[in-house]
Amino acid sequence: MAKKNNKGYITIQELYLHYKERIENVALTQFEWHNLPDTVDRWYMERTLLYNGSVAFYYAKDLQGWMATNYTWKGLTPYGYPADIKGVATASWDGKTSHNGTFDVEGDKWEICFDNMTHCSLWKTIDTYARQLARIHMTINNNLMQQYRPYLVVTDNQSPQLKKTMDAFFDEASAFAENMLIGFDPDTIKTLSTNVPYLVNDLQQAFENTWRRCMSELGVTGGTSKRERMLNEELVMNRQEDEIKLNSRLMNRVELCNKLNKRFGLNISVNLSATDLGVNDYGKLYPDYQRDIEDGVSIESTTYNRDSERYRI
């Protein structure tokens, strides 16, 4: 693992955190909620779903308000769902009163929402892809650095002054002057070529493919330079797979809204943040779009009507 030093070089840990935050940002903004109670924090709820795999939406007895947080449970229903719960959130202090972070639920005024159909957290997926992207990024950096000076300096001269001179020569941030080599026998210094091939183009393609697979896990379709050469059937299949993954997360949120609205008279709704994920350079290749184009219907109006019907609560 790369180590941070005073030369300002980026470390692999910093790259990992960078890509983890980028993936998290996409995952946390995929769904748009409407008419949530003022006491429910949308970001906290989505983050709990993302990292815990589920969230409890409940009416907190001591706060007299709705909350959406993590939870502990007691007992199971015949289908394996929690029979009773207690809310768990961050311990808080507002300057006057403190709270230990656990909340009693008023009666049966609660529902559980799962992030996806496997009822599992997406944390391992985010972690895996963030690590892969960081490694590829660091490899690209290293390959570029090796192209900058593709040789090794070999010498049997143990002079501290020569070491200082060579450090200055290889450190682009240091001031190096040619007169620093005066007095040294050039025959004592040799260079060996590393013969490192230029791999940045291949590594960049691997990076783009990895990022596309990562986005696909979240249901986001992204093109690469090679997608144009895919067959129509492959494009449709990839698109359908991404939609299924995205809908597996949306369906549970819609079901939560329906249950809360029916049981407790709320008016909560949820939809995809993007108005349409199907409009892109390859939209005309999808069968439903193709039929609409042949019938003289615009892609934009068809997309709106279809998705309004698909995600209606």
Side-chain angles (χ1 to χ4, degrees), residues 34-101:
H34 306 278
N35 302 320
L36 284 173
D38 294 338
T39 49
V40 173
D41 186 284
R42 189 204 70 82
W43 174 84
Y44 193 93
M45 176 173 63
E46 282 292 346
R47 196 170 190 277
T48 302
L49 281 166
L50 189 65
Y51 282 103
N52 293 76
S54 63
V55 70
F57 200 105
Y58 58 92
Y59 193 88
K61 184 185 301 184
D62 42 354
L63 294 183
Q64 288 297 295
W66 290 98
M67 296 188 68
T69 69
N70 198 5
Y71 60 96
T72 60
W73 52 272
K74 181 176 65 175
L76 295 173
T77 68
Y79 292 105
Y81 297 107
D84 192 18
I85 68 164
K86 176 176 287 190
V88 177
T90 305
S92 60
W93 183 68
D94 61 5
K96 297 179 181 179
T97 58
S98 61
H99 198 281
N100 63 5

Side-chain angles (χ1 to χ4, degrees), residues 55-168:
V55 70
F57 200 105
Y58 58 92
Y59 193 88
K61 184 185 301 184
D62 42 354
L63 294 183
Q64 288 297 295
W66 290 98
M67 296 188 68
T69 69
N70 198 5
Y71 60 96
T72 60
W73 52 272
K74 181 176 65 175
L76 295 173
T77 68
Y79 292 105
Y81 297 107
D84 192 18
I85 68 164
K86 176 176 287 190
V88 177
T90 305
S92 60
W93 183 68
D94 61 5
K96 297 179 181 179
T97 58
S98 61
H99 198 281
N100 63 5
T102 60
F103 299 91
D104 291 326
V105 179
E106 185 170 302
D108 63 348
K109 299 177 71 173
W110 59 272
E111 288 288 348
I112 299 297
C113 178
F114 294 96
D115 181 63
N116 52 71
M117 300 308 290
T118 64
H119 297 186
C120 296
S121 167
L122 289 180
W123 158 244
K124 289 304 298 180
T125 298
I126 293 175
D127 177 70
T128 298
Y129 279 106
R131 292 180 186 278
Q132 285 184 313
L133 291 166
R135 291 190 187 101
I136 298 174
H137 190 143
M138 181 60 73
T139 305
I140 292 175
N141 287 354
N142 291 338
N143 190 250
L144 286 173
M145 290 291 292
Q146 290 167 333
Q147 305 306 313
Y148 182 65
R149 286 197 178 92
Y151 49 80
L152 300 174
V153 176
V154 181
T155 180
D156 57 3
N157 191 324
Q158 302 297 319
S159 169
Q161 180 60 31
L162 179 60
K163 182 180 185 304
K164 181 179 179 181
T165 301
M166 289 295 99
D167 286 343

Side-chain angles (χ1 to χ4, degrees), residues 17 44 46 60 67 72-73 82 87 139 156 172 180 186 203 211 215 235-236 241 246 269 272:
L17 293 175
Y44 193 93
E46 282 292 346
M67 296 188 68
T72 60
W73 52 272
T139 305
D156 57 3
E172 54 193 46
M180 296 175 70
L203 291 170
W211 178 260
M215 291 297 99
L235 283 169
V236 173
E241 181 182 357
L246 183 59
S269 61
L272 299 176

Side-chain angles (χ1 to χ4, degrees), residues 20-31:
K20 182 176 76 72
E21 290 167 0
R22 283 186 61 183
I23 300 169
E24 285 177 339
N25 189 55
V26 173
L28 291 173
T29 56
Q30 286 186 277
F31 305 101

